PDB file of all heavy atoms in Angstrom:
ATOM      1  N   LYS A 269      26.179  17.715  -3.060  1.00 98.00           N
ATOM      2  CA  LYS A 269      26.198  18.931  -3.901  1.00 98.00           C
ATOM      3  C   LYS A 269      26.898  18.632  -5.234  1.00 98.00           C
ATOM      4  O   LYS A 269      26.459  19.061  -6.300  1.00 98.00           O
ATOM      5  CB  LYS A 269      26.896  20.077  -3.172  1.00 98.00           C
ATOM      6  CG  LYS A 269      25.960  20.805  -2.196  1.00 98.00           C
ATOM      7  CD  LYS A 269      26.567  22.131  -1.764  1.00 98.00           C
ATOM      8  CE  LYS A 269      25.610  22.906  -0.893  1.00 98.00           C
ATOM      9  NZ  LYS A 269      24.808  23.879  -1.629  1.00 98.00           N
ATOM     10  N   GLY A 270      27.994  17.898  -5.134  1.00 98.00           N
ATOM     11  CA  GLY A 270      28.711  17.497  -6.353  1.00 98.00           C
ATOM     12  C   GLY A 270      27.822  16.651  -7.253  1.00 98.00           C
ATOM     13  O   GLY A 270      27.817  16.800  -8.485  1.00 98.00           O
ATOM     14  N   LEU A 271      27.034  15.767  -6.618  1.00 98.00           N
ATOM     15  CA  LEU A 271      26.109  14.935  -7.393  1.00 98.00           C
ATOM     16  C   LEU A 271      25.056  15.773  -8.096  1.00 98.00           C
ATOM     17  O   LEU A 271      24.724  15.525  -9.260  1.00 98.00           O
ATOM     18  CB  LEU A 271      25.358  13.990  -6.442  1.00 98.00           C
ATOM     19  CG  LEU A 271      25.916  12.608  -6.199  1.00 98.00           C
ATOM     20  CD1 LEU A 271      24.949  11.834  -5.323  1.00 98.00           C
ATOM     21  CD2 LEU A 271      26.117  11.892  -7.525  1.00 98.00           C
ATOM     22  N   VAL A 272      24.517  16.778  -7.370  1.00 98.00           N
ATOM     23  CA  VAL A 272      23.485  17.641  -7.969  1.00 98.00           C
ATOM     24  C   VAL A 272      24.050  18.285  -9.229  1.00 98.00           C
ATOM     25  O   VAL A 272      23.394  18.340 -10.277  1.00 98.00           O
ATOM     26  CB  VAL A 272      22.989  18.717  -6.965  1.00 98.00           C
ATOM     27  CG1 VAL A 272      22.120  19.748  -7.671  1.00 98.00           C
ATOM     28  CG2 VAL A 272      22.225  18.069  -5.823  1.00 98.00           C
ATOM     29  N   LYS A 273      25.297  18.757  -9.149  1.00 98.00           N
ATOM     30  CA  LYS A 273      25.918  19.406 -10.309  1.00 98.00           C
ATOM     31  C   LYS A 273      25.987  18.427 -11.498  1.00 98.00           C
ATOM     32  O   LYS A 273      25.579  18.747 -12.610  1.00 98.00           O
ATOM     33  CB  LYS A 273      27.324  19.889  -9.913  1.00 98.00           C
ATOM     34  CG  LYS A 273      28.012  20.672 -10.983  1.00 98.00           C
ATOM     35  CD  LYS A 273      29.328  21.212 -10.465  1.00 98.00           C
ATOM     36  CE  LYS A 273      30.168  21.743 -11.597  1.00 98.00           C
ATOM     37  NZ  LYS A 273      31.506  22.109 -11.155  1.00 98.00           N
ATOM     38  N   GLU A 274      26.474  17.241 -11.222  1.00 98.00           N
ATOM     39  CA  GLU A 274      26.652  16.264 -12.307  1.00 98.00           C
ATOM     40  C   GLU A 274      25.299  15.791 -12.866  1.00 98.00           C
ATOM     41  O   GLU A 274      25.110  15.692 -14.077  1.00 98.00           O
ATOM     42  CB  GLU A 274      27.475  15.079 -11.794  1.00 98.00           C
ATOM     43  CG  GLU A 274      27.809  14.029 -12.832  1.00 98.00           C
ATOM     44  CD  GLU A 274      28.564  14.590 -14.055  1.00 98.00           C
ATOM     45  OE1 GLU A 274      29.317  15.572 -13.907  1.00 98.00           O
ATOM     46  OE2 GLU A 274      28.361  14.039 -15.155  1.00 98.00           O
ATOM     47  N   LEU A 275      24.354  15.518 -11.962  1.00 98.00           N
ATOM     48  CA  LEU A 275      23.052  14.992 -12.409  1.00 98.00           C
ATOM     49  C   LEU A 275      22.275  16.068 -13.178  1.00 98.00           C
ATOM     50  O   LEU A 275      21.593  15.769 -14.157  1.00 98.00           O
ATOM     51  CB  LEU A 275      22.238  14.489 -11.210  1.00 98.00           C
ATOM     52  CG  LEU A 275      22.846  13.275 -10.494  1.00 98.00           C
ATOM     53  CD1 LEU A 275      22.127  13.006  -9.171  1.00 98.00           C
ATOM     54  CD2 LEU A 275      22.794  12.025 -11.375  1.00 98.00           C
ATOM     55  N   THR A 276      22.396  17.337 -12.726  1.00 98.00           N
ATOM     56  CA  THR A 276      21.710  18.425 -13.449  1.00 98.00           C
ATOM     57  C   THR A 276      22.324  18.576 -14.836  1.00 98.00           C
ATOM     58  O   THR A 276      21.621  18.765 -15.837  1.00 98.00           O
ATOM     59  CB  THR A 276      21.812  19.751 -12.661  1.00 98.00           C
ATOM     60  OG1 THR A 276      21.314  19.545 -11.351  1.00 98.00           O
ATOM     61  CG2 THR A 276      21.020  20.859 -13.330  1.00 98.00           C
ATOM     62  N   LYS A 277      23.642  18.471 -14.898  1.00 98.00           N
ATOM     63  CA  LYS A 277      24.325  18.565 -16.194  1.00 98.00           C
ATOM     64  C   LYS A 277      23.816  17.466 -17.141  1.00 98.00           C
ATOM     65  O   LYS A 277      23.442  17.724 -18.275  1.00 98.00           O
ATOM     66  CB  LYS A 277      25.836  18.430 -15.976  1.00 98.00           C
ATOM     67  CG  LYS A 277      26.661  18.794 -17.185  1.00 98.00           C
ATOM     68  CD  LYS A 277      28.129  18.774 -16.868  1.00 98.00           C
ATOM     69  CE  LYS A 277      28.720  17.482 -17.353  1.00 98.00           C
ATOM     70  NZ  LYS A 277      30.112  17.292 -17.004  1.00 98.00           N
TER      71      LYS A 277
END
Side-chain angles (χ1 to χ4, degrees):
K269 278 194 175 265
L271 267 185
V272 170
K273 185 175 168 187
E274 184 57 31
L275 294 169
T276 305
K277 192 174 100 185

